Amino acid sequence: MFLEDELGLKHGEKVGLDERLLAIEQLPQIAKILNLSLSWKQSLNLHGPDGTEVTVEGEGEKLEAVTPILEGSIPWTFPRISPEHLRAMIRDLIPCNEAPVISIRHRGRERSLARE
């Protein structure tokens, strides 16, 4: 089954929640489909986006929680663009053939973007 292969979970398995699983919004639905027994450091009633609810065994008073428990982001990192590549991009975006020269001011210096 796709869920079992992709997540490494087996039907009917007892699963301790880790950061990877706590970041899955559909965790309650997956737990219901695979008949998983979930455990974590805190006892929870875990609610999914569609209203699916599962019990997570743990310590302390049972709390209500909505998935995902941990929200993460993947930051965007862009390589620094070289002046030559920037000029080429501007030439592609601005029809340079209509004007003899296009100039920009960069760090106090004027630069020509005319086709060479």
Side-chain angles (χ1 to χ4, degrees):
M1 181 176 200
F2 173 76
L3 289 174
E4 292 172 331
D5 295 339
E6 189 69 24
L7 298 174
L9 302 171
K10 294 184 177 33
H11 192 274
E13 184 176 37
K14 190 170 204 158
V15 178
L17 299 180
D18 58 13
E19 287 185 9
R20 177 181 62 97
L21 293 174
L22 291 171
I24 298 175
E25 188 172 27
Q26 296 80 14
L27 181 61
Q29 295 93 319
I30 293 168
K32 287 270 189 187
I33 291 169
L34 295 178
N35 193 27
L36 300 175
S37 175
L38 304 177
S39 64
W40 192 46
K41 63 182 178 184
Q42 178 66 47
S43 182
L44 300 171
N45 276 334
L46 194 57
H47 302 270
D50 69 342
T52 304
E53 182 181 330
V54 293
T55 300
V56 178
E57 299 299 323
E59 296 179 12
E61 181 183 343
K62 189 174 282 190
L63 302 175
E64 302 292 323
V66 178
T67 57
I69 301 289
L70 297 178
E71 290 191 29
S73 65
I74 301 171
W76 289 34
T77 55
F78 296 102
R80 185 168 173 85
I81 189 167
S82 71
E84 294 80 30
H85 287 104
L86 181 60
R87 283 189 201 99
M89 182 175 65
I90 291 172
R91 281 188 204 113
D92 289 342
L93 296 174
I94 298 174
C96 292
N97 293 336
E98 295 178 9
V101 175
I102 295 177
S103 300
I104 61 170
R105 183 169 295 280
H106 177 67
R107 295 185 183 164
R109 296 186 344 204
E110 191 164 313
R111 298 191 180 232
S112 170
L113 298 176
R115 293 196 186 268
E116 288 132 14

